[in-house]
Amino acid sequence: MSTENEGAAVPSEAKPPTGQQPDSASASGAQTPGAPPAPGARPAAPPPPDFAPTVARAPGGFDEPGPMPPAYGAGHPRQPGYGHPGDDSATEQTSQFPTYSAAGPGAGAGGWGQQPPYGGGGDPWGTTGTPAPKRRNGGLIAAVLVAALVAGGVGGGIGFWAAGQNDGASTTVSASGDPGALNRKPTSVSGIAQKALPSVVTIEAQGATGDGGTGTGFIYDKQGHILTNNHVVASAANGGKLTATFSNGKKYDAEVVGNAQGYDVAVIKLKNASGAPLNPLPLGKSSNVQVGDATIAIGAPFGLSGTVTTGIISAKDRPVASSDGGGTSASYMSALQTDASINPGNSGGPLMDAGGNVIGINSAIQSAGNGGGLGGESQQSGSIGLGFAIPIDQARRVAQDLIKTGKPVYPQIGVQVGMRDTGNGATIAKTGNNGSDAVTPNGPADKAGLKPGDTITKLDDTVVDSGPTLISEIWQHKPGDEVTLTYKRAGKEHTTQVTLGQRTGDK
């Protein structure tokens, strides 16, 4: 899946971590010191911090594993099995973001079942009729055909014997057929899926050395730009091969326009869009989403393109740190949590609301497998109803920067904080990485009066319980925004106003 910041300390410039990292990370985009791994090589992932259980990202296929641990959410009590990917010594600098770990399996959504999730007895989707048949791969179809033939033989024998005993004793009842049941509403799951499927593509990425995987993306504009996860296309970003296949089976070559490791967002573009159905999906407002809202996810879990699932929004503003286990970068998001069924291959796909509007990009899951994530093939597991999506409000801003300049822009406060401590806030390190200043001289935090050893406990009205939470909350803003930080110094609580600075690029 995507890369992971292993809680690595972030110097003034973001670099993939190599080996053991210090115990602090930059709070506005931590980056890890050390040389990047050789092309095509997958460095061993450093052990995650003790507090952080892992969460799995959905790379996009069976062949792109990647455990990813989500950080504890602001204002939410820590949950077992959750955590920030990082070693004990991760530091974060707000002026530099920590590398993002690619999110786990793509998104699929868990369905409502036979009954709606709330009172009233009505179908929240307004669905009528039966759902469209699911696609199956060749192997599964062959198995079903064999079973059908065997069952048919047995059934024929019994039917012959029964006919000999009592002609006309059949109790079979034929459906009368209700034309209205087949007239599905545009706002039903079926109606939304039929409209959205032609705008969702299956992405195949292959690196120069042959590594890669499968993921999902969706049409962003009529110029042929497609929005997806960074960890889906990262292997093909430098000299690799990238293709996008539409629901009609037509495949197009594509190229990476820009990618942001820290946000786990990427934009690709079709090289020759002639004849491609470029119908952008409508973008909603993730800020308007409420817990309990219905969701629809479309993707290619385990390579099964065009898979549609449903669920609800289980939580909002869930700080998540995700990783693909490569040990080179991590991603942070203040995620939309959903019980939608998200599996490897769903990454980069749209999470939609009941109106068919995109409210997030499916990016990560919490897995029940070994290590809590989608590790190697022996560990790879599926959804347990804990999926995470990047809010579309943030993804849209990042996509605009990538299309305009090819580089991401990160807000920062200019401090390095400890990444292991949880529950009591984000504490500014006493000393920075490699002898640097923990508080950037003349940076936003320095101007606001923050000092090494201060513990940040709130950003505006959001409780900050850890370094990853602070990062994910800062990245919900844009450079130039003014935020209120609450912090403790020598046991006393203080507040200060901070105007966010910025850093351009991942390195």
Side-chain angles (χ1 to χ4, degrees):
M1 311 203 147
S2 56
T3 55
E4 118 183 46
N5 184 324
E6 302 297 315
V10 179
S12 54
E13 56 182 274
K15 296 181 181 177
T18 57
Q20 190 71 21
Q21 302 302 316
D23 192 17
S24 60
S26 118
S28 64
Q31 77 186 56
T32 26
R42 285 182 177 273
D50 297 339
F51 77 85
T54 56
V55 170
R57 289 189 173 185
F62 341 89
D63 55 352
E64 187 177 359
M68 99 189 116
Y72 300 114
H76 297 281
R78 289 187 293 266
Q79 305 292 333
Y82 279 85
H84 170 72
D87 63 9
D88 316 348
S89 60
T91 63
E92 166 197 18
Q93 71 182 32
T94 53
S95 51
Q96 299 143 1
F97 77 92
T99 46
Y100 244 69
S101 64
W112 292 112
Q114 297 300 318
Q115 300 297 330
Y118 41 77
D123 184 341
W125 297 105
T127 307
T128 60
T130 57
K134 298 180 181 177
R135 298 183 180 180
R136 301 185 174 118
N137 60 28
L140 180 57
I141 292 175
V144 171
L145 289 176
V146 171
L149 289 172
V150 172
V154 175
I158 295 175
F160 177 80
W161 177 82
Q165 299 299 315
N166 185 4
D167 292 340
S170 172
T171 58
T172 302
V173 177
S174 299
S176 60
D178 180 6
L182 301 178
N183 186 20
R184 298 173 177 85
K185 297 180 181 179
T187 53
S188 68
V189 174
S190 178
I192 292 173
Q194 293 307 310
K195 185 176 181 180
L197 278 168
S199 299
V200 179
V201 300
T202 298
I203 298 173
E204 294 180 42
Q206 187 174 38
T209 59
D211 61 320
T214 304
T216 305
F218 58 93
I219 303 301
Y220 179 75
D221 60 27
K222 291 185 176 296
Q223 286 68 50
H225 291 109
I226 294 171
L227 199 53
T228 185
N229 284 145
N230 170 69
H231 74 265
V232 170
V233 302
S235 61
N238 297 307
K241 182 180 181 181
L242 200 61
T243 62
T245 304
F246 284 78
S247 60
N248 60 9
K250 292 187 177 180
K251 181 179 293 189
Y252 297 82
D253 289 333
E255 60 186 350
V256 177
V257 173
N259 55 318
Q261 291 179 344
Y263 295 121
D264 195 24
V265 172
V267 175
I268 67 174
K269 186 176 183 180
L270 303 181
K271 290 184 177 180
N272 182 3
S274 177
L278 300 179
N279 299 311
L281 291 181
L283 304 183
K285 288 187 176 181
S286 51
S287 58
N288 292 338
V289 171
Q290 296 298 322
V291 173
D293 284 354
T295 58
I296 300 175
I298 302 178
F302 295 101
L304 301 175
S305 301
T307 297
V308 179
T309 51
T310 63
I312 64 168
I313 294 295
S314 305
K316 294 175 55 179
D317 303 323
R318 182 75 77 186
V320 170
S322 61
S323 166
D324 65 354
T328 55
S329 65
S331 304
Y332 297 89
M333 68 189 88
S334 186
L336 296 175
Q337 181 180 323
T338 178
D339 66 353
S341 178
I342 299 177
N343 290 287
N346 278 121
S347 280
L351 183 68
M352 309 175 75
D353 62 18
N357 306 303
V358 179
I359 54 174
I361 303 176
N362 297 304
S363 182
I365 65 169
Q366 170 71 28
S367 172
N370 292 337
L374 293 173
E377 294 180 2
S378 62
Q379 297 181 4
Q380 200 172 63
S381 56
S383 171
I384 59 171
L386 292 174
F388 304 94
I390 302 165
I392 197 61
D393 293 353
Q394 177 180 353
R396 174 167 31 199
R397 174 175 58 82
V398 176
Q400 290 171 347
D401 289 336
L402 295 177
I403 292 173
K404 187 181 300 183
T405 67
K407 296 181 180 180
V409 176
Y410 297 91
Q412 63 179 16
I413 62 173
V415 301
Q416 298 183 44
V417 299
M419 300 296 283
R420 289 198 55 168
D421 298 334
T422 62
N424 297 318
T427 301
I428 301 175
K430 294 290 186 180
T431 57
N433 298 323
N434 301 321
S436 63
D437 293 312
V439 178
T440 304
N442 204 35
D446 186 32
K447 292 178 179 179
L450 290 168
K451 300 180 181 299
D454 290 345
T455 299
I456 299 171
T457 58
K458 290 179 69 177
L459 190 152
D460 291 334
D461 294 327
T462 300
V463 174
V464 173
D465 61 1
S466 65
T469 298
L470 178 61
I471 298 174
S472 63
E473 288 304 318
I474 290 174
W475 285 358
Q476 283 290 350
H477 295 78
K478 59 182 182 295
D481 286 352
E482 186 176 83
V483 299
T484 300
L485 292 182
T486 302
Y487 64 96
K488 288 184 178 180
R489 178 186 297 168
K492 294 183 178 180
E493 188 172 270
H494 308 270
T495 60
T496 186
Q497 304 295 313
V498 178
T499 300
L500 300 179
Q502 77 174 52
R503 181 176 59 78
T504 301
D506 281 323
K507 296 180 181 180

